[in-house]
């Protein structure tokens, strides 16, 4: 086992997962992507397999290329299942795996927190931006 990432009873063990050598850091980087969270959210909320174009319609602003890359990443991570049906043209659907559903509980909480605190965050941004405008730039 990799001692850099081993988790035990010590609360500092979680911090070790942020070290460069730990695979958990790479996984966290994948999960922290905006489109990953949004794709997972759409798949979780649908409760049924979703076709590519339906995903694209529901994810305002995502390009076809970005959606394809995101779905491939999620499939590689074991979070999304891609099902291809032998029709003409082929029908392709995406759904969450058990692992993806488990992660969905966490990402759903993050989404709820975001909605609950969005006004506070927007106000903090505005305050920060006002302070930045008021600060004179050094010569």
């Amino acid at each position: 086992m990799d001692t850099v990432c081993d988790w035990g009873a010590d609360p500092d063990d979680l911090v070790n997962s942020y070290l460069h050598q730990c695979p958990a850091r790479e996984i966290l980087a994948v999960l922290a992507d905006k489109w990953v969270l949004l794709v997972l959210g759409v798949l979780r909320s649908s409760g049924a397999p979703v076709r590519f174009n339906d995903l694209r319609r529901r994810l305002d602003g995502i390009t076809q290329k970005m959606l394809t890359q995101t779905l491939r990443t999620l499939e590689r991570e074991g979070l999304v299942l891609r099902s291809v049906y032998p029709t003409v043209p082929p029908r392709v659907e995406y759904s969450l795996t058990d692992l993806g559903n488990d992660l969905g509980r966490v990402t759903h909480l993050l989404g709820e927190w975001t909605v609950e605190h969005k006004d506070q965050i927007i106000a903090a941004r505005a305050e920060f931006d006002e302070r930045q405008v008021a600060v004179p730039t050094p010569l």
Side-chain angles (χ1 to χ4, degrees):
M1 238 157 81
D2 186 0
T3 57
V4 173
C5 301
D6 288 349
W7 288 14
D10 186 350
D12 290 334
D13 287 348
L14 179 60
V15 173
N16 290 336
S17 70
Y18 303 148
L19 297 174
H20 178 67
Q21 302 89 343
C22 186
R25 180 173 164 174
E26 183 181 335
I27 295 166
L28 185 60
V30 168
L31 299 179
D33 179 81
K34 166 182 80 172
W35 292 118
V36 164
L37 290 175
L38 294 173
V39 167
L40 290 172
V42 168
L43 290 174
R44 184 176 192 278
S45 69
S46 71
V50 180
R51 296 183 72 172
F52 184 90
N53 284 330
D54 292 335
L55 276 170
R56 191 157 173 223
R57 274 191 288 278
R58 293 184 63 187
L59 294 164
D60 186 36
I62 195 167
T63 65
Q64 181 171 338
K65 179 180 177 181
M66 182 53 66
L67 180 55
T68 299
Q69 288 174 349
T70 301
L71 288 166
R72 284 186 183 154
T73 297
L74 291 170
E75 186 179 6
R76 182 174 184 254
E77 299 296 320
L79 301 170
V80 166
L81 176 65
R82 180 179 184 262
S83 301
V84 181
Y85 299 93
T87 60
V88 177
R91 189 175 94 228
V92 181
E93 295 179 337
Y94 298 89
S95 58
L96 293 178
T97 62
D98 289 342
L99 187 61
N101 275 313
D102 191 44
L103 175 62
R105 293 181 300 111
V106 176
T107 58
H108 183 74
L109 290 173
L110 181 61
E112 285 181 340
W113 183 91
T114 303
V115 170
E116 183 179 332
H117 297 287
K118 71 181 178 331
D119 293 336
Q120 291 170 275
I121 301 294
I122 291 168
R125 287 177 183 171
E127 267 183 47
F128 179 86
D129 292 347
E130 285 176 26
R131 285 194 313 267
Q132 296 306 305
V133 171
V135 174
T137 55
L139 297 175

